[in-house]
Amino acid sequence: GIPPLTNFFTTMMYIRAFEILNRRGFLDNSERKKATEIIVESLNYTMRLQEWGAMNRSALRAETLALAIRALPDNPKAKIWKVYEQALGGDNWGNWEIEDATLYHAVWLYSMIGYADAKNKMNELFHTPEIYYYAQYFLNLICPAGIIPDFGDSHWTSNWAKFLVFFECAANQYNDPELKWAASTIGNK
């Protein structure tokens, strides 16, 4: 059948919540077992339809797999997840992404932050030339309305919250007041 988490835009949120609740001891054995089953079944479903390359959908999958590996390191499927995670993550890490719309740039950047966080490599991510370039590129695209204008098949104000997170992380990593301004400007809209 179809598992509860079929949408790769939300699976990582479930895994992150599970990991936090489990680590803090808020789950009993039956809850832990049920949540683990949901994660495993959902990842099996997600891996059936892979998308490769430096794009938001493969970055979303890499982030999800990295979180699952961190949350369930002893699961028998973790070795298989690791192979897929490294392949999908490797397509994205240190590469120019292939997205062509504001909407998808934001998803890709947000997923890469989640992926780096899951692997405890945030500093390394922000020291790739590509991520530095995108921080400067999107900083310079902020228009007088205080947002990044839409292009491609995007629409006005799409994914502003993801750009807010990206600029906050970039400002922190680069200690850059202009990037902090970008986050504040977007956040105040």
Side-chain angles (χ1 to χ4, degrees), residues 66-87:
L67 284 166
I69 293 163
R70 188 173 77 182
L72 301 170
D74 298 326
N75 189 282
K77 302 255 181 176
K79 289 182 182 180
I80 294 168
W81 299 340
K82 184 100 175 139
V83 170
Y84 279 94
E85 173 263 311
Q86 289 176 335

Side-chain angles (χ1 to χ4, degrees), residues 103-153:
L103 170 74
Y104 305 124
H105 287 290
V107 173
W108 185 80
L109 290 166
Y110 189 81
S111 295
M112 291 303 293
I113 290 169
Y115 180 60
D117 179 62
K119 295 181 70 64
N120 198 26
K121 292 186 173 186
M122 192 72 74
N123 187 50
E124 290 92 331
L125 175 69
F126 278 92
H127 283 85
T128 63
E130 296 81 8
I131 297 298
Y132 180 78
Y133 170 85
Y134 288 126
Q136 297 303 310
Y137 173 72
F138 287 112
L139 170 66
N140 286 286
L141 278 180
I142 294 179
C143 72
I147 60 169
I148 297 169
D150 55 324
F151 56 84
D153 65 347

